[in-house]
Amino acid sequence: MGFRKRLLWGATFASASSLWLVPSALAQSVDSRIETGRTLDEIVVTAQRREEQIQDVPLAVSAFDGSAIESLNARDIRDLASVVPNLVISKVAIGPSMTQVSLRGVNSQDPEKSFDPAVGVFIDGVYLGTSAFNLLDTFDLERVEVLRGPQGTLFGRNTTGGAINAIRSSPTGKFGIKAKVTVGNFERLDAAAVVNAPIVEDLLALKIAAFVNTDGGQWKNPSGGATGAEDRWSTSTRLRWTPNTDLTIDFTWDHAEDDSELTPYIPLGVAAATTLPYRITGVPPTPATILAASPPDRFCTIAGGRCRQTDFSFSNVTDPHRMDAKLDAYTLNGDWKLGESWTLTGVLGYREAAENVYIDFDGSNLTVFNVVRSQDYEQWSAEFRVASNFDGPLNFVAGAFHFNSRYALRQAIKLDVAMVSPIPALGLAYANASGDEDNHRAKTTALFAQADWSIAPDWTLTLGGRVSWDDKRIRTKFVGSPVGMPPTRAAYSVSQGVPANRPVTSSGGASESWTEFTPRVSLKWRINDDLQAYASYTRGYNAGGFSGRAGTVLDVTTPFNPEHINSFEAGFKSDLLDRRARFNVAVFYNDYEDKQEEAIQPGPPPTFTSTTVRNVAGARIMGIELEGTAILSDSLRIEASAGFMNAEYTDYKGFVSTAQYISTPPQPAGTLLRADLSSLKLRRVPEMTASFTPTWEAPLADGFLTARATARYVSEQYAEFFNDPRGRIPGQTFLDASISYRWGGKDNDRMSLTLFGENLTDEQDTTSFTNSIVDFGTVASPRLYGLTLQVNY
């Protein structure tokens, strides 16, 4: 289905929904067809750094309170993607609790810490500077807000796609406990608890939360290696000090450890060329027939036919494929009411993490391509802002922000020389323990302000802006195998870690600074108490920096500049049927400037190329988003969402290497050819996402029985930059369902028992693909089911 047809379908859906709501509203006063006393909850969000009703905020926001999050039966925030339009969240199998988030088609694919995520993730107001440890557990979350579109004014850099703003529960100052245990298939056993207690009544309160998630792995492994078994735990301690009614200060300490196995990689090599969808425009040095294609995978052709694996239920990894990661985080939140009209808010955060990750990239029972990555990371940030609460026509929020991070990476590989040289046979010689070491530092300082001005009755003009000063530095060195470590079969295993005293083959360093201004203009029209329309312009940017994954010192130390998005959005929000129905629509147009994308540069033997990041492309993304909720009776509630996008490169000219074309006869080693890459589809950008969720609830005996199901659809998307068919994720329909019974206490919430199932249709396909020295990828989780018992006292 083409985008125009999808857009037409969406417009039809919106029109049909509106037409249904109007006669229903008229009929309500005549024959009370919807007989219910229930109304939709008022949802309070902080999307504009102040507390507001979600329907009053002039931007696209999806919000979930604690009960809505619990109804997803999710371990982590990935399940938000099932009900938020144009949101894709993928787990990354290269580090602890690591994600790739794509929102409105804007994403950052590389998890290397020298790159910044394009969708900001915040926990209790603290910006998470890397994609590691940002796959947040859902148990203790009080609220999650998904802000769609650039948030550069109030949330800063690296929110060009949007922001995920998560807020955990606060100490109650009363004795209480919430605990749950979940058992499920694949030997799943999860446990979590939150304990509240007063220390000094009305002055000091304590909350302790903890969870542990374990399972036996979702993949069989006949070779006896990793199955993707999860083993992670976390604890959080929060103290709340309230010396008076105007001042609240929270201090939080978090500790997390992740000793899980990585999601197993599977071989995705092919014995024949794979055609790629772009046009080669350059003239090769040797006259030849040129085909845009990935050539056969060398591992596939020389390793006894270990080619593309089609059965996704098992893995054959035998070398180390796991992690050992620890995180400590400290957060200080404060709110001080300065009289009736002012509130001062401060957020201080410090996070430090240590990671050792062992990776079997070839996904086979042979030792072909193994890596150990040892990283130390720390960040600290501070934000202070003041918000007004005047009775008059003007209110504002203004503040200052500072962020500082640094990390050190030490990496070592074990690579079968047969992968890069035709001389030795497989399994005879290895490049042992060579690799690279990087030290990186990033700093950002910003000043921001946003004002809401009631320029006329029912009309509000919003003006905002942020000035950011960014500075980044990197030192890199490439190292060879340690002296005395010969290239033999058993000389080195990555499980031994990164050896010391490796000889330096090349090194260098660089620094760069940038200054950016990101404005926002919005106009809101309050049509009546239940309907508003708005239009806005916002500019966002992703920070510039250095490509820590590049293959030469020159490419690592050559900076790329910030990329920018000019975003135009319009929409309306409506509460109908005496607040028993809600329908919101947003349309948007994003214009990418100086887009950061992969660029292939000349490199040294044996690869002859280096893939890095440069500002080489332009793109546009346009779409529509629909969200609706209706209470049809005291027992039945329905929720639906749909997102439609059309994304394309407007300009992208670059080079391709022999890894992306086939020449007959072959070209000299290292020959790069010019190509027009603008016909490629942007990664992780499905044209359509949709969900439909009915929830039925009725009294039963001394409690309540609730049944819920979610059907969601995600259309075709590509996980790999060059749109290799092996990285194509087909359109998929997923079905999740649960049935729960809750009882006890005056609100029937003392105890609950929930039977749930996820991906009941057992949709399982690739979720990532990498064309490298070996071709490998990951696949989605199979059907999952389980039983949860929860108690609240």
Side-chain angles (χ1 to χ4, degrees):
M1 185 188 296
F3 177 76
R4 289 184 175 85
K5 290 184 179 180
R6 296 182 193 276
L7 194 60
L8 179 61
W9 186 94
T12 304
F13 174 83
S15 301
S17 300
S18 300
L19 291 173
W20 172 79
L21 290 168
V22 172
S24 294
L26 295 174
Q28 173 70 18
S29 62
V30 178
D31 58 10
S32 298
R33 269 190 279 181
I34 301 178
E35 297 180 357
T36 175
R38 298 176 60 193
T39 60
L40 294 171
D41 293 334
E42 293 282 359
I43 302 175
V44 176
V45 297
T46 53
Q48 296 193 114
R49 297 301 197 185
R50 64 170 75 238
E51 291 189 351
E52 298 174 283
Q53 301 293 337
I54 190 172
Q55 292 297 90
D56 292 334
V57 178
L59 56 88
V61 185
S62 299
F64 306 85
D65 61 14
S67 60
I69 296 169
E70 285 186 3
S71 69
L72 294 173
N73 300 301
R75 269 181 166 179
D76 51 58
I77 61 173
R78 274 179 294 177
D79 279 22
L80 296 180
S82 66
V83 290
V84 176
N86 293 329
L87 174 64
V88 178
I89 302 179
S90 307
K91 189 174 182 179
V92 180
I94 199 172
S97 302
M98 186 175 285
T99 62
Q100 290 173 336
V101 183
S102 177
L103 188 52
R104 287 188 172 178
V106 180
N107 57 80
S108 177
Q109 291 294 303
D110 201 314
E112 195 74 38
K113 289 181 173 58
S114 64
F115 299 103
D116 297 290
V119 177
V121 177
F122 297 79
I123 181 72
D124 295 332
V126 175
Y127 169 68
L128 306 187
T130 77
S131 55
F133 285 107
N134 73 356
L135 187 59
L136 305 178
D137 185 85
T138 59
F139 179 63
D140 188 36
L141 292 182
E142 179 181 275
R143 186 174 73 254
V144 176
E145 305 164 5
V146 181
L147 288 60
R148 306 193 296 276
Q151 306 296 319
T153 298
L154 294 180
F155 286 85
R157 64 173 192 162
N158 310 326
T159 57
T160 47
I164 297 176
N165 188 27
I167 298 95
R168 290 178 291 187
S169 67
S170 300
T172 63
K174 300 177 181 179
F175 285 107
I177 182 171
K178 181 175 76 170
K180 72 174 183 178
V181 176
T182 299
V183 295
N185 58 335
F186 301 110
E187 304 175 33
R188 176 177 174 179
L189 177 59
D190 298 349
V194 176
V195 178
N196 275 282
I199 298 178
V200 179
E201 188 174 357
D202 297 328
L203 180 65
L204 195 61
L206 171 69
K207 186 198 75 172
I208 299 175
F211 75 83
V212 56
N213 290 345
T214 64
D215 62 40
Q218 299 170 2
W219 290 267
K220 299 185 292 288
N221 193 322
S223 301
T227 61
E230 185 158 323
D231 181 9
R232 62 189 182 97
W233 64 273
S234 175
T235 183
S236 175
T237 301
R238 174 174 289 190
L239 284 170
R240 165 162 286 192
W241 181 45
T242 51
N244 54 58
T245 57
D246 294 328
L247 179 61
T248 300
I249 296 178
D250 289 344
F251 173 76
T252 307
W253 169 56
D254 299 298
H255 179 79
E257 296 192 15
D258 196 338
D259 298 317
S260 304
E261 295 176 343
L262 302 174
T263 302
Y265 289 122
I266 60 172
L268 290 176
V270 288
T274 303
T275 303
L276 299 177
Y278 57 83
R279 185 169 59 93
I280 293 177
T281 60
V283 178
T286 301
T289 300
I290 303 294
L291 175 66
S294 291
D297 178 42
R298 184 166 177 79
F299 180 53
C300 168
T301 57
I302 71 174
R306 285 176 170 82
C307 297
R308 183 175 185 179
Q309 182 172 312
T310 56
D311 185 347
F312 294 154
S313 65
F314 73 92
S315 164
N316 277 315
V317 297
T318 52
D319 289 313
H321 199 65
R322 60 180 179 83
M323 72 185 89
D324 173 12
K326 295 179 175 63
L327 168 75
D328 282 287
Y330 307 87
T331 306
L332 190 66
N333 297 88
D335 284 294
W336 186 14
K337 293 181 180 179
L338 305 173
E340 296 294 328
S341 302
W342 302 88
T343 300
L344 176 65
T345 298
V347 181
L348 303 177
Y350 176 80
R351 296 169 68 87
E352 60 179 358
E355 307 169 25
N356 291 292
V357 183
Y358 309 89
I359 312 167
D360 184 352
F361 278 116
D362 56 87
S364 75
N365 59 355
L366 302 177
T367 298
V368 176
F369 184 22
N370 300 341
V371 174
V372 56
R373 292 168 56 83
S374 178
Q375 296 185 84
D376 293 304
Y377 174 81
E378 67 173 355
Q379 69 165 70
W380 69 269
S381 60
E383 178 171 307
F384 293 94
R385 60 182 184 269
V386 62
S388 69
N389 185 30
F390 300 137
D391 292 332
L394 184 67
N395 275 288
F396 69 90
V397 58
F401 171 80
H402 182 78
F403 175 86
N404 191 318
S405 72
R406 64 178 68 192
Y407 83 91
L409 165 70
R410 301 171 68 237
Q411 182 168 255
I413 69 170
K414 184 178 183 69
L415 175 66
D416 195 308
V417 178
M419 292 296 100
V420 293
S421 172
I423 298 175
L426 194 69
L428 293 182
Y430 291 90
N432 281 319
S434 61
D436 62 292
E437 299 182 9
D438 295 319
N439 285 273
H440 183 270
R441 183 168 183 171
K443 292 193 296 184
T444 296
T445 301
L447 300 174
F448 61 90
Q450 180 170 295
D452 299 326
W453 179 23
S454 297
I455 57 176
D458 303 320
W459 290 86
T460 301
L461 176 66
T462 298
L463 298 174
R466 187 183 191 104
V467 180
S468 302
W469 296 269
D470 295 325
D471 179 86
K472 290 192 176 181
R473 304 169 185 270
I474 195 167
R475 292 288 307 175
T476 187
K477 59 182 178 182
F478 290 86
V479 294
S481 298
V483 176
M485 187 176 286
T488 58
R489 184 191 304 262
Y492 171 70
S493 169
V494 296
S495 61
Q496 298 172 271
V498 180
N501 302 317
R502 294 182 292 178
V504 176
T505 58
S506 58
S507 64
S511 63
E512 187 61 81
S513 300
W514 302 269
T515 301
E516 296 290 334
F517 175 65
T518 48
R520 171 177 171 79
V521 180
S522 176
L523 184 63
K524 179 175 71 173
W525 176 29
R526 171 62 71 179
I527 301 171
N528 56 46
D529 289 342
D530 298 318
L531 179 63
Q532 77 161 9
Y534 67 91
S536 68
Y537 161 75
T538 307
R539 183 172 172 86
Y541 82 100
N542 253 31
F546 299 93
S547 175
R549 198 179 293 280
T552 69
V553 170
L554 177 62
D555 289 340
V556 171
T557 57
T558 301
F560 54 87
N561 289 318
E563 65 180 12
H564 303 89
I565 286 185
N566 293 304
S567 179
F568 303 86
E569 180 178 321
F572 71 82
K573 297 184 175 185
S574 60
D575 282 339
L576 304 160
L577 304 177
D578 293 330
R579 241 177 23 136
R580 290 189 294 275
R582 181 169 291 157
F583 184 61
N584 297 340
V585 177
V587 295
F588 63 90
Y589 180 93
N590 289 342
D591 180 27
Y592 249 121
E593 297 175 350
D594 304 316
K595 191 174 190 317
Q596 300 162 0
E597 281 289 9
E598 294 182 5
I600 297 174
Q601 310 286 335
T607 60
F608 292 100
T609 61
S610 170
T611 300
T612 184
V613 171
R614 296 288 183 265
N615 304 88
V616 291
R620 66 158 181 81
I621 306 172
M622 58 187 295
I624 182 172
E625 297 164 341
L626 315 168
E627 293 181 289
T629 304
I631 297 175
L632 301 184
S633 71
D634 281 341
S635 299
L636 183 61
R637 170 189 177 119
I638 60 171
E639 299 164 274
S641 70
F644 307 87
M645 287 189 292
N646 183 17
E648 63 180 14
Y649 288 106
T650 56
D651 179 58
Y652 193 174
K653 295 178 176 61
F655 289 95
V656 292
S657 71
T658 51
Q660 292 87 33
Y661 71 84
I662 294 178
S663 174
T664 308
Q667 299 301 310
T671 299
L672 302 184
L673 295 179
R674 291 186 179 275
D676 181 359
L677 304 175
S678 59
S679 59
L680 295 175
K681 293 185 177 181
L682 278 71
R683 291 169 290 186
R684 305 284 180 184
V685 186
E687 287 190 354
M688 178 180 178
T689 59
S691 70
F692 179 75
T693 303
T695 302
W696 177 84
E697 183 179 75
L700 177 66
D702 294 325
F704 275 87
L705 185 69
T706 302
R708 174 187 169 96
T710 296
R712 53 191 172 98
Y713 173 74
V714 182
S715 65
E716 174 188 280
Q717 56 182 305
Y718 283 90
E720 189 264 346
F721 170 73
F722 281 104
N723 296 174
D724 191 299
R726 290 168 288 175
R728 173 183 171 270
I729 304 173
Q732 296 171 306
T733 300
F734 299 89
L735 179 63
D736 302 335
S738 66
I739 184 168
S740 64
Y741 182 67
R742 70 178 195 273
W743 72 96
K746 63 178 182 178
D747 297 320
N748 289 300
D749 62 352
R750 181 66 55 84
M751 307 279 289
S752 67
L753 189 66
T754 302
L755 177 67
F756 65 89
E758 300 178 15
N759 187 19
L760 293 176
T761 52
D762 204 23
E763 293 274 3
Q764 198 173 11
D765 215 300
T766 54
T767 57
S768 70
F769 168 70
T770 300
N771 186 341
S772 181
I773 298 173
V774 295
D775 297 346
F776 62 91
T778 57
V779 297
S781 296
R783 181 187 297 115
L784 303 173
Y785 53 86
L787 186 68
T788 298
L789 173 65
Q790 181 166 315
V791 298
N792 298 283
Y793 282 94

